[in-house]
Structure formats: C-alpha cells, structure tokens
Amino acid sequence: MRRGLFLLFLLPLVAGWACAGPEVPVAPGAPSVAAEVRFPERWALSPSQPPVTGRLGMVVSTDSAASAVGLEILRAGGNAVDAAVAVQFALSVTHPQAGNLGGGGFMIVRWADGTSAALDFREKAPSRAHRDMYLDEAREPTRASWIGHRASGVPGSVAGMESAHGRFGSLPWRRLVAPAVRLANGFPMSRELSEDLAGAMSDLVRFPSTLNAFFPAGRVVEPGEIFRQPDLARTLEAIAVGGAAAFYRGWIADSLEAEMARGGGLVDRGDLEAYEAVWREPIRFSYRGREILSMPPPSSGGVTLAQLLHISAGFDLAEWGWLSVDAVHAAVEAMRRAYADRNRFLGDPDFVRMPLDRLLSPAYADSLRATIDLERATPSDRVPMHGVESPETTHFSVVDRDGNAVAVTTTLNGGFGSGVVVRGAGFLLNNEMDDFAVKPGAPNAYGLVQGEANAIQPGKRMLSSMTPTILLAPDGRPELITGSPGGATIISTVFQIVVNHVDYGIPVQTSVNAPRFHHQHLPDRIQFETGGLPEAVVTELRARGHAVVERGGYSGDVQSIYVGPEGLLYGATDPRRGGAAAGY
C-alpha cells in the first residue's frame, strides 16, 4: 500500500483494515441474504475490510496522492466536479500508467438538484488516419497501433476537464490545477509506479524523451525517493494559467506536433485545434427499482450494462445465491449475448447508426433471455455477432457535502500509453488507436472481435468499454457511484458490483474485494480470478458445457462510494492495486 509515503506532503487519509473473516457482513439496510454470502476458500482478499467513512465528502481513486488532492479541494469548499478535475490532473503526475493529459475518458455527473449529464472526452482519430493504416502487406495487423507515435489519437482530457469545470465548477480553474503542479515539482515515488516503470522500461527507453522524463540518470527511481518532472510541471502551470487553449493552441500544441513529426505520428495542429469534448445524455434504465445512469456511445459501457441487467432482471439471483453455479451460469449467458451486440452494433454516434432503442428495450432483453438454457451453455458460434482495450485505465468517484456525485473513467489505453513523452512538455501520449477494429471481424490482441461499426475513420472516436456509473436509490438520491479499469472486463465488473449491491446486499468494500468472472462472447470461455470460484462451481460449469479458465492474478480496480440512507459516505477502494479512499 502507498499511504504512508505522502504524509509529509498531503492531507492524511481516513483508512481502516480488519482481519479476514469467513462470512460477509451485512450492509446497513441490506437484504438478509448478505449474511449467507461466503468468499471461496482460496480467495486471498478479506471479506471484512472496513470502508473509509465520512459525512461531508469522499474521494476514491487508485492513488493516495490523487485522493488526498480531491479531499483538499472538497475541504476548500469545492464541489464534486472541482474535486474530479483536480484528481484528473493529479493522476497525470502520480499515476502516469493511466492518469493523463495526453489521453481521454468519460464522466457521469448527478447533481443534487436532479441534473444529470455525461461528458465524452474520448480521443479521436487524426484527420490523416485511414481504415487500413495498421495492416502490413499481407493485411495482418502490426504493432504500430500499440507502440510509438502512430498509435496516438487526438487527446481529449484537458478539453474535457475545462468543459466540466465550465458547466459545474465553483472554485477557480487555477486552484484545481495547482496541486498537480505541486506534485510535478516533486513527490515521493510510490512502490506501484516504481515497479510498473521497471516492468515497462525496455519499451519506454526506446524513446529519448521518455527516458529523460521517467528514468533520471538512466535508472528507475526507488520507492520513497522524490521524483521530479519539471517539464510536466511547466506544462501544467501553462494549463493552469491559459486553460485548454494553452494545450491545444499554444506552445504545448507546437511541442506535440513536433513530437509527432519526429516519430511519424499523425496528430497535427489542425487536429488539436478542432478537438471538442461533447456533452451527451446518459444512458438511463431501471433495475429492480433503482434508476441507473451510465455512459452512452462511443462508450459501450452503458448500453451493454443495461442489457446485462435487463436480462438478469428475469432471474431470481438472490434465491440462487451469490457465486452459485446457477447464478454464474445465467450471468455468463447474459454476457455472451450482450457482448455479441456490443461488438457488432456500437461505435461513435457521429459516424454509426445504432439501434439503441431496441438494444435498451426490456422486451428485447426478454427475447434474449428466452434463448438461454439454464442447464446448458450456448456455444458462442450459435450467438452470432448480431449483425479490447488494455486493462491500464483508471477510475475515480467523488461525492461532495451537497450530495453531488461524479464518476470518471480515464485512460491512455495501454500502461503508459504509446510510450512516447512529448519532448519539453513531459506528458505521455495515448495508444488509443488500437481500440479501433484495426481489422474488422478479426480478433485483436485480447481475443475481442469487433465489427465495421468500430473501423478506423478520420475524426472518429474509438469504441470504449469504460463504464462510469451512478445508481440512484428508490427515493432518487445517488446511492452507489462506481467504475473500474479493465478493458473489456470493465462492463462485466461493474455489472457484478451492481448485482452484489442490489440483489445480494453485499457491503460496498466487501463487494469491491469480492472475486469476479468474465465472458465476452469471443473467445468462448469464462475467465475468473485466481481462487475466485469454488472448485465445485467450476466443475459443474464445465459439466454444463462451459470452457472455464482461471486467469493469473486479479482484474479490475474498482473505486466505489456508497451513500447510506443516513447520509454517511462509505468509500471503498480496490486492494488489487492499492488505491485509497479519502473522506471527512
């Protein structure tokens, strides 16, 4: 964990731990079924770790420094969007694996007065991009969509944060960027960042600007050492003074264009000047008496989550029991069908006509449910694609004293993006072009098969699985704010977090710690975290015709806030990567 390293620099965090117990505790006001939930014997994470609590504000992110920055802004009188903007900029310094200036993402806002909004600051394909740009002479995909200058789309994060602040913010813009400037001038290196830099070093040192930015004196900075990023501090100070214009039109834009020219990249000044973040209507749907708000296309998250929950609404999951073979089988069959629709139909709404009314219809979910055999797996080749991103993304959630709630998922795509730091500006560029269907109909590096709707076109936003989500209580107040990284597994992760909360009444931190499983239509297999399913369940799933694979390590990095009926805030951070909740 990374909490102790920041005490001399940042606000203290409220945090607590407890020994693991065999039985999941019951959440305040939860159904009694929670008392019957037990973690599998081989599962390593505790079911009884307590959440962080607060009454006036809560920030939950993957990084303790960034969470402390968000809490600092809330304590200074800022609202949830102010804190989210500050956290986004802080993560670009302390968590460059996914936090960014050179990437993009999505934000869901639910204001206490009932206002809701979805902000799309997803990257776009450069104007010189074309459909087959990453295929070799044999028309097979190359690595150019993954590493190096040609992998980058037009960044959206800075424009997105300015747009969010302009619509909802209350504190001065410069006040929100200032903590990130402070961190860029020096912060204690975290163990996670040091280890991740060491693991990625062989790719990153290929680019001289990246070597200079992250490996001073040619070595990895050790945990606890002060890590300074003077070029990034200069860039952030320019953004603090000049806003998004400094990034898209000033010397930073000149530096980015020059970096593209050095490496044969396609993003130019025209692309930067034309970029705009877009406000969209959230995906809205109901699940067992709760309204849920999630992200619309070009994120596939909200639509696919709605399909999964609409299908599940016809099953008595609580009666079957958490992680029972029947509940897992039904969830997998729902995933198989929802991901098939995702991979064929969804894309950038400015380029693709999508049958959203049908996909979001409970009646359509009924028709899909009717095709599920509750005793036998349906082979994916019999669930046609009617008609993945990298896991290195990050999510954070915020609730302020007035009950305003914000969920943000942001990414560079792969860990450290394209690997390219803009010379003289100190920030990494994304490799989001790999999120397009580089060769429609063929599996990508993660086995995900996507269709023509997500083919490369100039100016188009690549399809995403990011699923920032806010669940409302029956009385209309925000009750659960959640999201996760994880590429294609993001949607199945958020689905399980919602089901854990609504169907099983599992407390928020226990739900975050709980094991997860995933199916994405193709490849046709259930993946589950190491030790995450009981052996008897795995055996029975195989007997029903499922291919079941135990994946190494953990998946996802959920950051959730539960707002209790008494107004108490419960912040739950994922121990898989060692994040932090900060509340007061």
Side-chain angles (χ1 to χ4, degrees):
M1 302 300 290
R2 297 170 283 162
R3 294 183 175 96
L5 296 176
F6 297 94
L7 294 178
L8 295 177
F9 286 77
L10 302 167
L11 295 171
L13 301 179
V14 181
W17 293 84
C19 295
E23 195 167 282
V24 174
V26 181
S32 60
V33 70
E36 302 169 7
V37 172
R38 293 177 180 271
F39 279 9
E41 290 182 2
R42 293 196 299 120
W43 185 244
L45 301 181
S46 169
S48 54
Q49 175 189 340
V52 171
T53 59
R55 289 198 175 274
L56 299 178
M58 184 67 66
V59 181
V60 189
S61 84
T62 194
D63 182 80
S64 57
S67 293
V69 162
L71 183 59
E72 173 188 330
I73 295 301
L74 292 179
R75 285 184 179 273
N79 62 35
V81 163
D82 291 325
V85 170
V87 170
Q88 171 78 26
F89 283 117
L91 286 169
S92 74
V93 180
T94 62
H95 189 68
Q97 302 97 314
N100 65 82
L101 301 181
F106 300 101
M107 174 186 290
I108 293 289
V109 177
R110 177 46 160 77
W111 229 236
D113 65 4
T115 300
S116 60
L119 178 60
D120 169 4
F121 55 100
R122 181 67 157 155
E123 303 90 333
K124 299 174 71 171
S127 59
R128 291 181 286 163
H130 59 88
R131 177 190 172 90
D132 298 332
M133 61 185 290
Y134 299 116
L135 303 183
D136 61 18
E137 292 182 357
R139 298 193 60 77
E140 293 300 322
T142 69
R143 289 202 77 209
S145 66
W146 184 254
I147 189 76
H149 296 70
R150 286 174 60 82
S152 297
V154 184
S157 289
V158 178
M161 293 305 100
E162 185 175 81
S163 185
H165 177 258
R167 181 168 176 181
F168 290 106
S170 61
L171 293 184
W173 170 260
R174 184 161 189 167
R175 175 69 181 86
L176 307 183
V177 187
V181 176
R182 183 179 73 228
L183 289 166
N185 280 318
F187 72 96
M189 173 65 76
S190 69
R191 181 169 301 279
E192 181 190 55
L193 178 53
S194 180
E195 291 175 352
D196 286 355
L197 284 168
M201 188 173 183
S202 59
D203 275 339
L204 297 177
V205 298
R206 295 168 51 183
F207 308 103
S209 56
T210 310
L211 173 64
N212 293 336
F214 289 111
F215 305 98
R219 68 175 182 87
V220 177
V221 177
E222 294 296 320
E225 287 187 62
I226 300 302
F227 179 44
R228 296 180 172 86
Q229 301 173 79
D231 288 344
L232 181 56
R234 177 173 170 246
T235 293
L236 286 163
E237 181 60 33
I239 293 168
V241 173
F247 184 89
Y248 292 93
R249 292 176 174 79
W251 67 264
I252 303 170
D254 292 336
S255 299
L256 198 160
E257 185 175 53
E259 187 62 53
M260 287 284 105
R262 274 189 291 274
L266 300 183
V267 179
D268 59 26
R269 279 292 296 264
D271 294 319
L272 293 168
E273 292 176 2
Y275 184 86
E276 293 182 353
V278 179
W279 289 100
R280 304 188 187 275
E281 280 298 310
I283 295 293
R284 300 170 184 268
F285 60 97
S286 294
Y287 181 64
R288 304 200 198 279
R290 267 87 162 183
E291 184 180 9
I292 295 176
L293 308 176
S294 196
M295 199 67 209
S299 170
S300 64
V303 174
T304 310
L305 178 64
Q307 282 191 267
L308 288 171
L309 290 169
H310 282 157
I311 294 171
S312 299
F315 298 131
D316 193 345
L317 301 180
E319 176 68 23
W320 287 338
W322 182 71
L323 282 193
S324 68
V325 64
D326 289 330
V328 174
H329 171 81
V332 164
E333 292 303 304
M335 291 175 192
R336 190 192 306 275
R337 289 155 175 79
Y339 274 88
D341 281 354
R342 173 216 187 267
N343 297 339
R344 176 178 180 185
F345 288 120
L346 300 184
D348 184 341
D350 295 333
F351 286 75
V352 179
R353 294 185 64 181
M354 295 169 282
L356 294 185
D357 288 344
R358 178 161 68 93
L359 296 178
L360 293 169
S361 165
Y364 178 62
D366 292 344
S367 71
L368 294 178
R369 191 186 316 108
T371 69
I372 295 174
D373 183 341
L374 291 178
E375 299 298 327
R376 190 72 187 168
T378 306
S380 284
D381 60 11
R382 287 170 49 195
V383 182
M385 213 173 65
H386 284 303
V388 79
E389 304 111 291
S390 160
E392 290 299 337
T393 298
T394 193
H395 177 86
F396 54 95
S397 300
V398 184
V399 175
D400 66 25
R401 69 176 65 213
D402 295 320
N404 303 314
V406 177
V408 181
T409 313
T410 183
T411 189
L412 287 165
N413 194 25
F416 304 103
S418 66
V420 177
V421 166
V422 175
R423 185 182 301 177
F427 64 91
L428 282 156
L429 293 170
N430 67 82
N431 60 343
E432 292 291 359
M433 293 298 287
D434 192 69
D435 270 1
F436 282 115
V438 171
K439 184 179 180 181
N444 68 7
Y446 301 94
L448 196 65
V449 178
Q450 302 179 90
E452 291 291 339
N454 195 34
I456 300 171
Q457 291 178 256
K460 188 178 184 179
R461 298 174 196 249
M462 55 290 291
L463 187 65
S464 171
S465 291
M466 288 183 273
T467 315
T469 296
I470 297 176
L471 181 148
L472 306 181
D475 64 6
R477 62 179 174 80
E479 182 177 85
L480 182 68
I481 301 90
T482 194
S484 177
T489 70
I490 293 173
I491 306 167
S492 59
T493 293
V494 174
F495 163 69
Q496 288 166 83
I497 293 292
V498 172
V499 168
N500 288 350
H501 177 76
V502 176
D503 290 273
Y504 300 113
I506 300 176
V508 64
Q509 184 66 65
T510 305
S511 176
V512 168
N513 288 21
R516 300 190 275 262
F517 56 90
H518 173 71
H519 196 292
Q520 61 185 38
H521 181 248
L522 293 173
D524 189 354
R525 66 189 183 199
I526 301 170
Q527 300 178 64
F528 69 97
E529 295 177 295
T530 300
L533 287 179
E535 291 297 333
V537 171
V538 172
T539 298
E540 178 59 25
L541 288 169
R542 288 174 174 152
R544 294 188 186 191
H546 294 283
V548 187
V549 178
E550 185 174 52
R551 59 181 295 172
Y554 296 123
S555 65
D557 187 27
V558 175
Q559 309 296 332
S560 293
I561 300 172
Y562 168 59
V563 185
E566 76 289 4
L568 193 64
L569 306 174
Y570 299 83
T573 189
D574 204 323
R576 289 163 174 81
R577 299 194 189 184
Y584 78 114

